[in-house]
Amino acid sequence: MKNKLIVIVGPNASGKSEIAVMIAKKFNGEVISADSRQVYKGMDIGSGKIKKSEMKGVPHHLLDVASPKSVFTVTRYRQLALKAIEKIRQAGKIPILCGGTGFYIQAVIDGITIPPVKPDWKLRQRLEKLSAKKLYSILRKLDPARAKSIEAKNPRRLIRAIEIVKTTGKPVPALKKQPLDYEILFLGIKKNEKELKRLIERRADARIRKGMVAEVRKLKNSGLSWNKLESFGLEYRAVSQFLQNKISRQKMIDTIKKEDWQYAKRQMTWFGRDKRIRWIKTEAQAISPVKKYLSS
């Protein structure tokens, strides 16, 4: 029988973590986070990292595995995720890959391999001083094809693409695939737009109350530059701009809500292309397909 893996995806604030914990508790599983910011230590409130009490005793992997001062690549994520999957399988449990970073999930299950180009630290230092708009303009001139498919507001992805082109002297090559040799059950959490937008706005207000501004200030005091903090995007970009007196507190809150909603729509577009995903709306709707999948 093939090895089995459950993958749970969906937009931010849709309740993925709660469903993953429920499935893990009921079917003897462990959770592997697939979130590009939850890998970093100290980035808890702004990334929506699950708390110990919310885990309900279920082991979680790939949280707090990197310093925010370091460069953490999708290649590194894939290496660690594959190790975690195998470790969970060897223990006789079900690995559950859960998160909203589509590229991370795709890298694991579809086996995407990234060009082996070493970091050019001097180039990165120069590029990190530029806005996402300027970086996108540079990439569009260097590699129009990659510019069409990249997330235009993500400085880290833009810098990496520019780095590859400048290092190799060629356009970013098509990503190679080596699919994971597992039988996979894909579950996607779907909310209607009105409900999801309400959840996102309510979550943003809660994060402000819980100390997100203090979290970003602490990260800055630990030695991170404003440019580095802003490169993490979404909440971290808006709060950093507020702390630099570039925007007002209310503008910060409004920006977080607006950009989180825009990101959620991009996530739904990304996951919506994948015909393997079985969409559910509630925890209860997840039980039957999981039970059937594990018994087959």
Side-chain angles (χ1 to χ4, degrees):
M1 182 168 34
K2 262 198 169 186
N3 297 320
K4 293 180 181 284
L5 170 69
I6 296 172
V7 178
I8 301 174
V9 301
N12 53 355
S14 60
K16 298 183 295 295
S17 295
E18 292 85 348
I19 289 179
V21 167
M22 181 275 292
I23 291 173
K25 290 281 286 184
K26 193 171 185 67
F27 298 100
N28 191 32
E30 296 187 10
V31 178
I32 303 163
S33 171
D35 187 289
S36 62
R37 297 184 301 169
Q38 291 182 6
V39 296
Y40 294 111
K41 299 171 185 175
M43 294 175 62
D44 304 325
I45 299 171
S47 72
K49 197 177 293 175
I50 189 170
K51 296 178 181 176
K52 196 81 173 175
S53 59
E54 296 168 335
M55 294 180 187
K56 298 180 180 178
V58 173
H60 279 62
H61 304 260
L62 270 60
L63 299 172
D64 301 321
V65 294
S67 165
K69 295 178 184 177
S70 67
V71 176
F72 189 86
T73 66
V74 67
T75 300
R76 181 60 178 154
Y77 174 79
R78 182 171 182 265
Q79 291 169 344
L80 294 177
L82 292 178
K83 285 182 181 178
I85 289 170
E86 182 60 18
K87 180 180 178 183
I88 295 166
R89 188 192 69 80
Q90 290 284 354
K93 296 186 176 183
I94 300 297
I96 302 167
L97 187 64
C98 173
T101 303
F103 196 40
Y104 274 20
I105 291 166
Q106 192 177 15
V108 174
I109 60 176
D110 292 328
I112 289 177
T113 55
I114 312 301
V117 175
K118 292 182 179 180
D120 183 332
W121 300 109
K122 289 184 178 179
L123 175 63
R124 287 188 178 190
Q125 284 181 337
R126 293 201 304 272
L127 294 177
E128 283 175 357
K129 296 175 183 178
L130 304 178
S131 66
K133 185 176 180 180
K134 180 63 177 174
L135 291 169
Y136 182 75
S137 176
I138 293 171
L139 180 62
R140 191 166 53 185
K141 290 176 182 176
L142 292 171
D143 189 348
R146 181 65 181 117
K148 287 181 180 179
S149 63
I150 202 166
E151 187 182 339
K153 293 185 178 181
N154 189 320
R156 284 179 291 164
R157 299 250 172 94
L158 291 165
I159 289 171
R160 180 57 176 163
I162 293 169
E163 182 178 58
I164 291 170
V165 176
K166 283 188 170 290
T167 301
T168 63
K170 300 176 182 178
V172 177
L175 300 176
K176 297 178 181 178
K177 292 187 177 182
Q178 297 175 330
L180 187 65
D181 188 24
Y182 270 66
E183 185 181 319
I184 300 171
L185 172 66
F186 288 84
L187 294 178
I189 316 303
K190 198 165 195 175
K191 303 284 185 184
N192 66 59
E193 286 198 0
K194 186 176 180 180
E195 180 186 8
L196 184 60
K197 195 169 186 180
R198 178 180 59 81
L199 289 169
I200 287 171
E201 291 180 351
R202 190 168 68 184
R203 187 185 68 171
D205 290 331
R207 288 181 177 181
I208 295 294
R209 289 196 305 271
K210 290 175 183 177
M212 189 164 60
V213 173
E215 177 175 283
V216 176
R217 187 182 288 115
K218 184 177 180 180
L219 288 166
K220 177 65 174 67
N221 291 339
S222 74
L224 290 174
S225 68
W226 289 123
N227 280 335
K228 182 69 172 178
L229 282 165
E230 288 190 36
S231 77
F232 292 118
L234 301 175
E235 291 86 352
Y236 292 97
R237 178 167 54 233
V239 174
S240 294
Q241 290 174 348
F242 165 67
L243 290 173
Q244 294 172 82
N245 297 314
K246 291 181 178 180
I247 59 175
S248 67
R249 184 180 178 84
Q250 188 57 51
K251 178 67 173 175
M252 171 190 71
I253 296 170
D254 292 343
T255 298
I256 290 171
K257 292 178 179 179
K258 178 183 176 183
E259 293 194 351
D260 274 6
W261 172 237
Q262 290 173 337
Y263 179 55
K265 289 194 289 186
R266 292 197 300 273
Q267 287 175 303
M268 288 304 295
T269 298
W270 178 290
F271 294 126
R273 299 190 193 107
D274 197 327
K275 303 305 179 186
R276 298 169 294 185
I277 297 174
R278 175 169 179 164
W279 294 98
I280 59 173
K281 294 181 180 179
T282 64
E283 286 189 11
Q285 289 179 358
I287 294 173
S288 178
V290 172
K291 187 179 292 185
K292 183 178 179 181
Y293 163 72
L294 294 177
S295 62
S296 64

